[in-house]
Amino acid sequence: MPGVVERHTSANLSALAGQPAPKEMLVDLARLEREYSERRPELSDPNQMVSFGTSGHRGSPFAGSFTEAHILAMTQAICDYRMTHGTDGPLYMGKDTHALSSPAQCTALQVLAANGVETIIQRDNGVTPTPVISRAILVYNRGREEHFADGIVVTPSHNPPEDGGFKYNPVNGGPADTDVTHWIEGRANQLLRGGNAGVQRVGYKAALNASTTHQEDLVLPYVRDLGNVVDMDAIRGAGLKLGVDPLGGAALPYWEPINSIYHLDICVVNPLMDPTFSFMTVDHDGKIRMDCSSPYAMARLVGLKDKYQVAFANDPDSDRHGIVTPSAGLLNPNHYLAVAIGYLLTHRPMWGAKVMVGKTVVSSSMIDMVVQRLGRKLSEVPVGFKWFAPGLFDGSCCFGGEESAGASFLRFDGSVWTTDKDGPIMDLLAAEITARTFKDPGEHYRELTAEFGSPHYKRIDAPATPGQKATLQRLSPDAVSESSLAGEPITARLTRAPGNNAPIGGLKVAARNGWFAARPSGTENVYKIYAESFHSETHLNMIMSEAQEIVYNAMNSPEGRR
C-alpha cells in the first residue's frame, strides 16, 4: 500500500515537539463549551454517531462527535442497559480534568437522576481517576449476590484538550466488553436518530439534590488501600526522593494524601490544573496531548531525571503511567512492563504459581522471555484492556499490561485490585522496585537486554480506505501466502490471539527473531503496523517494509476478498 507515516521520527516531527505550547495553540474554552451545548450531530455522518472503541466513545464538539446530545443518548442507553440486565446497585461516576468532562458529567447526572439511578460522585465537584472508579465498584460488589454497582468515567484519556470521552465499566469494574458496548452504542444511536425523545432528564440542580445522588470522598479509601498492593513501607524505609507530574490530571489531588498517610517524599513538580493544558510541551505531531509515554509531552519531567531517584507521570484520567529514571530517562512502556513483570513474579510470594501474565499481541516479546524464564504462563490477548478484566477479577491473571503504558496487577494476597488500568500503582511500583533492589527500573532493563538481547520496536501508520480496513479486520491466516519474513521462515500467522482465541481484528506474523502486527485504526483512515526485531534496526526496517507488502497481498488475495 502506498506511503506510510512513522510515529515520532524526524520525517514527520513537528518543529514544536517538546517545546512549551504557544498561547495561540490553546483551545477557546468558551467556544468549546458553547459547541458542546448547542451543536447537533449530523445523523447522516457516521463519524458523528456514537461509536465505542477500545476505551469508550471519544470525539470533539468541533467535529460534531462529542456534544450534549451524545451524552444524553449514551447515558439513557446505559440506564436502559442496566434495567434490561438487572443492574440496580449504585453507579460510581468519575471525571477527569478535560474541559468537557465537567459539563458532560453534569448532563449525565441529569439523566441518571431522572431514571432513578443511585449515583455516587466525588464531593465538591472533584475529579476521579479511572482506577479509583474500578476499585470502588469492586469493593462495593465484594461478597454481594445482588444489587451490584457499576460505573461511568467521563474522559478521553490522553487526547487533546478539545476532546471529550465517555466510557462504561460494568459490574466487574473493567472496561465494558464488546457485546455490552455494541448494545449501548446501538441504543444510543437509536435515541439520537429519534431526536433524543426517549431520554429522561431533570434539571441539573434537581439532579444534584436528588435523593439518589450521593457526594462522597473517593480519595482516601483508595489511598488508604494502596498499602495492600504496593510495598509502601519499603519505599518509605529507603527514603527515596521521588517526583511526580500529574500532567494536570485527576491524580493531582491524590499525591499529597499519599505523602501524608505513608510518610513519603514525593514532590509534585507541576501542581497546575488547567483545562487548556497550557503548561504542556507539545507532542510529536504538533498537538497538545497528555501522553505520559511520549518523550515530547514528557520533556519537562525528563529534564528533571537526575533530580529524583524515580519520577513518574500519569495522563488526565490516570490510567496510564510514564516512568523516568536517572539511568534511562523516560522508559519505553514495553521496557517497563518487562521489568515490572519480572519483579512482581519474584516479589509476591502469595500469588499462586499457576497465575497467568497477560500481554497484548502488539507488546514486546521481551515479556515472553521474562515470563518463560520464570516458568510462568503467558496469555497473549487482543488490544484492549477489557481482555484482562476477567482474569484480574478472578485472580487467575496476576498482571495485565499494554504497550500503550496501561497496566494493573493483583493485591499482595492474590485478590483483585482493579480490573482497569491503574497508573498510580505502576508509578509507585517503580519506587518499590528501586527501594527493594537498589536499582531503578532502567538499570533492570539493561540487565534484561544483557540476558536476552536488545529488541528494536517501532509503530507506523499506513493509509487505508474504509473498505481496506474492513478487509484487514476479517482476514484469515490463509490469506498470507509468504513463507518468510525478513530472511527467516514464518513460524506463525495469527488472526486470533493465542491466549483466548479472540479475534485480534487484524493480522500478526512472526518469525524466530521478529514479528509484525497490523490493525485498522478505529478513528482514522489508516492501519497501524507494530513490529519488533531482536537482531538490529536494519532487520526491523526490513520487517516493516515486508509487512506492508504482506498485508497488501493478503487483502488482495482470494481469501482476503471473500
Side-chain angles (χ1 to χ4, degrees), residues 242-246 267-272 300-301 304 307-308 312:
L242 306 169
V244 61
D245 185 346
C267 176
V268 179
V269 304
N270 170 26
L272 299 177
R300 284 200 175 99
L301 191 61
L304 299 174
K307 190 174 179 180
Y308 303 100
F312 30 78

Side-chain angles (χ1 to χ4, degrees), residues 338 341-342 345 355-359 365-379 452:
I341 290 165
L345 290 179
V355 293
M356 297 180 296
V357 172
K359 62 164 273 193
S365 293
M366 180 69 86
I367 295 169
D368 307 48
M369 297 173 181
V370 170
V371 173
Q372 184 178 26
R373 188 241 289 162
L374 293 171
R376 299 301 187 101
K377 183 179 179 181
L378 182 74
S379 177
F452 298 117

